Amino acid sequence: MGRAVAPGRLPAEPGEPARRGRGRAVLWPATVAAVSAVVFLGVKGSLIDDSFITLGYARNLAEHFRWGLVEAETANSATSPLNVLLLALGGTLTRVAGGQVHPVAGAGLVFVAEMTAVGWGFARITQALRLPFFTAVAGTAAILVNPFVLSATGLEVHLISAVLVLLTAYALEGRAIGFGVVAGLAVLVRLDLVVFVVLFALGVGALRDRLLPVVGVALAVCLPWFVFSWFALGSAIPDTFLIKTTQGAFGEYTYGNGPDYYLDPKRWKATLVAFAPAAAGLVALLGWLGWLVVRREQAARFGPVGVLGAGGLAYYGAYSLLGVPPYQWYYVAPIVALTVVFVVAVGWLARGGAFRVGVAILALALAVLPAGYLDVDRGVPWTAPPIFGNWATAADYARVGREIGARVGDDATVAAPPEIGTLAYFCECAMVDTFADQGRVVPLVAQRIAQAGPIGGFLLRVDYHWLDRARRPRPVDYRLDWSWTPISGPDTWHLSSPATGDGWVRLVRI
């Protein structure tokens, strides 16, 4: 009997699908890697302060095998252990090529690898759901150029994107072991991604039926790090959980209403563009739920994509309840999750008679997204990203950090202003705050245990059981005072930011 041919399609020549698949398997990842490399070259000069905190950790690990923001102190304020490890590996590879560690170049290698993983995961999603391949192209592009994601380059945002896409792909394929490996990596990217892992494991039948292997593999991947961190670094959960949850709101804004915070005159276009595919994904998720009621068998095969969207909503709800500040990278997980839902919905619409509708929606999405992030009036390469709140540009902080390092030398300790990352990175001195000096975290631990209630207090005491509670803050020789009004004199520097305007910093001997 001859092969059945779908209506409206010509029969393929023998071997044609296999040849096309093999060609695409090579060409698509290579294309994503090349485009990602060009994008990174355009944004690498605009890395935000928190990105340099991570790069500081990576450089110290690669050069001195120390886990800390500065060489002088061990700390546990790296939210994403896997991101630090990968950036350290990237920096080490640059040492092999050039004789010394170049963390920013290493970050470029990691960025390309992460986006290639996103593209590869999307290709698997389209294959599992039999969607047009442009679905993978659209999904990868939508994540690559999303302003909230791209503005936090160097942080774990692209790792978040990669693991969420890969979790969805393995869930669709019913591959329990592969899902378990990615699940273990996901909680090393950010511990809060466990929200998605649990929903996938319980909400997808193929994974739920093999729950024991899924859990076993995931624990085998992630548990060694958490045990090491608990004993060697003083807590299994990074100190950023305490630091960020004690920082309070941005005025009237917390995570829940945080998108409104970014709708100011300087950022509103980029903000709308960043959230537009997520909003469309929410509509698509509601549509899928309705379809599930009417045509359960047809809609069920998209179940893992629906679980991903539900995970995005659960994540947003959990962070809203925590009342943490509305840092832009906190929104990446729900944005990416709902963007995947939207792109898959577009791919499904593009099948059959709805082809023109799907292509129109896709064209609109891809036309709006690049317009929102390129923002050519700020220049290319970027000096600051479109979503930016630091008190100075990376270039200004780098200039001041180098000059401070030359003034204080290697032995002095400097108390940092509110933003430490870029200054400490380029100072290459012992610059400290709660992110760099765990002695400054000890009082926060006692404060949070007292406020947390019986259960929360017990969990925090267990988490910080091995922390040296007698540890004291590192004595400082200098402090950096920040001023919003002009100051002058020796050891004074002027800085500027497109977000906050002009500022001044003065180095004061204690």
Side-chain angles (χ1 to χ4, degrees):
M1 295 179 64
R3 290 179 298 167
V5 179
R9 295 188 63 183
L10 295 175
E13 294 295 328
E16 180 186 351
R19 287 195 299 271
R20 188 189 308 126
R22 285 194 296 269
R24 185 177 291 163
V26 175
L27 183 60
W28 171 236
T31 301
V32 175
V35 173
S36 301
V38 172
V39 170
F40 184 80
L41 290 176
V43 305
K44 69 183 180 68
S46 67
L47 301 184
I48 62 175
D49 196 69
D50 283 73
S51 297
F52 277 102
I53 291 177
T54 308
L55 288 172
Y57 266 88
R59 182 176 62 189
N60 284 321
L61 182 61
E63 291 184 345
H64 310 292
F65 211 63
R66 177 184 288 278
W67 194 264
L69 171 57
V70 296
E71 181 187 351
E73 289 285 334
T74 298
N76 193 22
S77 60
T79 304
S80 177
L82 184 59
N83 193 35
V84 171
L85 292 169
L86 291 176
L87 290 173
L89 175 61
T92 301
L93 292 176
T94 64
R95 167 184 277 177
V96 171
Q100 67 180 98
V101 173
H102 295 282
V104 175
L109 296 177
V110 174
F111 178 89
V112 170
E114 290 163 348
M115 283 309 308
T116 304
V118 169
W120 183 70
F122 261 117
R124 296 185 74 116
I125 290 173
T126 59
Q127 185 177 16
L129 294 174
R130 298 182 181 179
L131 301 176
F133 188 74
F134 73 73
T135 309
V137 178
T140 306
I143 290 174
L144 177 62
V145 303
N146 187 288
F148 267 59
V149 181
L150 202 55
S151 293
T153 297
L155 290 177
E156 62 274 10
V157 291
H158 294 93
L159 264 180
I160 292 172
S161 305
V163 296
L164 290 183
V165 171
L166 291 172
L167 285 173
T168 307
Y170 281 120
L172 284 165
E173 296 169 349
R175 295 179 180 269
I177 302 303
F179 178 88
V181 171
V182 179
L185 294 175
V187 295
L188 292 178
V189 173
R190 283 189 72 96
L191 184 57
D192 48 38
L193 294 184
V194 72
V195 171
F196 292 93
V197 171
V198 170
L199 287 177
F200 271 119
L202 298 180
V204 178
L207 301 176
R208 189 172 58 247
D209 292 342
R210 300 191 64 196
L211 193 58
L212 190 59
V214 167
V215 173
V217 171
L219 289 177
V221 171
C222 69
L223 197 58
W225 168 262
F226 290 114
V227 172
F228 166 80
S229 179
W230 191 40
F231 283 103
L233 303 178
S235 65
I237 300 173
D239 294 334
T240 42
F241 175 77
L242 288 181
I243 296 170
K244 298 296 187 182
T245 55
T246 56
Q247 285 182 336
F250 286 5
E252 62 184 290
Y253 296 104
T254 61
Y255 183 86
N257 64 350
D260 291 342
Y261 171 76
Y262 291 99
L263 292 174
D264 59 45
K266 296 180 180 179
R267 301 179 290 198
W268 70 270
K269 287 190 292 185
T271 300
L272 289 179
V273 166
F275 281 93
L282 178 58
V283 173
L285 180 62
L286 296 175
W288 173 76
L289 291 173
W291 186 28
L292 194 63
V293 173
V294 178
R295 299 283 183 88
R296 182 176 181 84
E297 290 186 3
Q298 291 183 18
R301 68 191 186 100
F302 290 87
V305 179
V307 171
L308 177 67
L313 297 181
Y315 189 99
Y316 195 100
Y319 262 66
S320 298
L321 290 175
L322 284 173
V324 295
Y327 294 111
Q328 76 227 42
W329 51 92
Y330 289 177
Y331 294 98
V332 167
I335 284 176
V336 168
L338 290 170
T339 296
V340 173
V341 175
F342 167 57
V343 170
V344 168
V346 171
W348 177 78
L349 285 174
R351 301 176 63 193
F355 178 82
R356 293 184 180 179
V357 176
V359 170
I361 296 174
L362 175 66
L364 178 63
L366 293 184
V368 170
L369 281 170
Y373 99 92
L374 283 176
D375 209 1
V376 293
D377 60 341
R378 69 173 62 236
V380 178
W382 284 352
T383 56
I387 306 298
F388 184 68
N390 290 151
W391 292 1
T393 62
D396 267 7
Y397 271 147
R399 169 179 56 84
V400 174
R402 290 189 184 100
E403 293 185 22
I404 291 173
R407 301 281 177 93
V408 304
D410 296 332
D411 298 326
T413 301
V414 183
E419 294 182 336
I420 187 177
T422 317
L423 286 169
Y425 182 88
F426 287 97
C427 180
E428 298 191 61
C429 59
M431 189 175 291
V432 296
D433 70 353
T434 52
F435 289 96
D437 181 3
Q438 205 168 34
R440 295 169 179 251
V441 176
V442 172
L444 293 180
V445 174
Q447 175 187 336
R448 291 293 292 177
I449 289 175
Q451 296 172 345
I455 297 177
F458 170 75
L459 294 175
L460 284 171
R461 280 191 293 272
V462 171
D463 183 44
Y464 281 99
H465 178 74
W466 298 106
L467 177 67
D468 180 7
R469 302 288 186 87
R471 187 171 178 178
R472 293 293 178 263
R474 183 183 182 90
V476 296
D477 305 294
Y478 298 87
R479 72 171 187 269
L480 281 170
D481 292 340
W482 185 275
S483 173
W484 292 111
T485 57
I487 55 176
S488 60
D491 296 336
T492 301
W493 293 268
H494 169 243
L495 308 96
S496 64
S497 164
T500 59
D502 293 327
W504 289 260
V505 67
R506 172 179 289 163
L507 182 67
V508 178
R509 178 85 188 196
I510 299 176

